[in-house]
């Protein structure tokens, strides 16, 4: 389950396939991190371990912000079902980030890994190297049958069919979130690409 019943319905009633790669992209404030947190919460409710790699928010910020939408992620952390790893992408190079993720996955044995957001990794190298690193990471997670949930920040007006690290062609499920403003009212839309 994605943790969002209406999204599960859009995905055929049961959510995502295990061991696949899910990409959620959209502009700032459209709900990418909220969907990632719902996915983590759903995994933990099933008794599955989850690792949440955040390159923009600290563990405390994520727990506080998700509490504001009714999610208590702290309980899962205390039960050793959810691990957070927060650092700025610029703190290490891409190879070190990849090594840390590999080591953490091998030690914790999660069923779900969240990377939020993948575009930050460009700051640790360049677009081409970030692309290569993400392909290696996705292959590693698929080999271990770990479901990967990746978020990607897009700029307003960007094409739907493209991500800044160009991995959209190798993901299994792609969700696109956007704000729609019409007659002074702002609504969110979710597309299953």
């Amino acid at each position: 389950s994605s943790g969002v019943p209406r999204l599960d319905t859009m995905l055929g009633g049961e959510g995502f396939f295990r061991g696949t790669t899910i990409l959620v992209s959209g502009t700032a404030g459209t709900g990418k991190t909220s969907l990632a947190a719902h996915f983590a919460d759903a995994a933990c409710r099933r008794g599955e371990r989850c690792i949440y790699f955040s390159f923009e928010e600290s563990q405390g910020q994520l727990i506080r912000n998700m509490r504001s939408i009714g999610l208590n992620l702290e309980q899962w952390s205390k039960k050793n079902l959810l691990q957070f790893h927060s650092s700025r992408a610029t703190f290490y190079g891409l190879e070190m980030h990849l090594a840390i993720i590999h080591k953490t996955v091998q030690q914790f044995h999660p069923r779900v890994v969240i990377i939020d957001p993948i575009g930050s990794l460009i700051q640790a190298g360049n677009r081409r190297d970030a692309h290569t690193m993400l392909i290696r990471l996705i292959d590693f997670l698929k080999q271990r049958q770990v479901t990967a949930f990746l978020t990607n920040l897009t700029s307003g007006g960007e094409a739907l069919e493209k991500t800044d690290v160009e991995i959209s062609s190798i993901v299994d499920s792609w969700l696109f979130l956007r704000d729609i403003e019409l007659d002074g009212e702002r609504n969110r839309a979710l597309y299953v690409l």
Side-chain angles (χ1 to χ4, degrees):
S1 172
S2 68
V4 180
R6 291 179 71 185
L7 175 55
D8 287 347
T9 300
M10 291 174 70
L11 296 167
E14 296 183 36
F16 301 105
F17 287 105
R18 290 185 181 278
T20 61
T21 303
I22 301 128
L23 175 65
V24 178
S25 56
T27 56
T30 53
K32 299 175 298 299
T33 298
S34 297
L35 279 180
H38 276 284
F39 193 56
D41 184 67
C44 293
R45 286 185 188 284
R46 292 188 299 270
E48 299 173 5
R49 289 180 165 192
C50 175
I51 301 174
Y52 197 118
F53 291 95
S54 172
F55 296 111
E56 292 186 350
E57 294 180 278
S58 70
Q59 176 178 340
Q61 287 174 306
L62 283 165
I63 287 172
R64 178 198 66 212
N65 293 346
M66 293 309 108
R67 191 173 286 127
S68 75
I69 62 168
L71 292 178
N72 178 4
L73 298 180
E74 189 171 28
Q75 67 178 324
W76 307 125
S77 185
K78 288 179 178 176
K79 292 180 180 179
N80 200 33
L81 287 172
L82 177 60
Q83 257 188 30
F84 289 95
H85 289 269
S86 300
S87 67
R88 291 284 180 204
T90 54
F91 196 67
Y92 302 114
L94 291 169
E95 285 298 319
M96 182 58 81
H97 281 296
L98 185 60
I100 290 169
I101 293 169
H102 274 233
K103 182 178 179 182
T104 307
V105 167
Q106 289 167 341
Q107 290 175 342
F108 192 63
H109 303 287
R111 294 297 307 266
V112 171
V113 168
I114 296 169
I115 311 286
D116 182 23
I118 59 172
S120 291
L121 293 168
I122 294 171
Q123 299 167 5
N126 60 49
R127 195 175 305 272
R128 182 180 53 90
D129 291 342
H131 170 77
T132 302
M133 180 263 202
L134 284 167
I135 289 174
R136 290 169 59 199
L137 174 60
I138 289 167
D139 288 344
F140 168 74
L141 295 173
K142 280 184 182 280
Q143 288 172 358
R144 297 182 69 91
Q145 285 295 299
V146 173
T147 305
F149 192 100
L150 316 173
T151 70
N152 183 63
L153 177 66
T154 60
S155 301
E158 282 188 7
L160 292 180
E161 296 81 20
K162 181 182 170 217
T163 60
D164 46 351
V165 287
E166 300 174 353
I167 63 155
S168 54
S169 63
I170 64 168
V171 300
D172 300 294
S173 300
W174 188 5
L175 307 178
F176 181 73
L177 307 175
R178 65 181 292 202
D179 282 323
I180 300 173
E181 192 168 338
L182 185 64
D183 295 329
E185 183 176 289
R186 181 170 257 176
N187 292 292
R188 290 188 177 130
L190 186 149
Y191 300 88
V192 178
L193 301 179

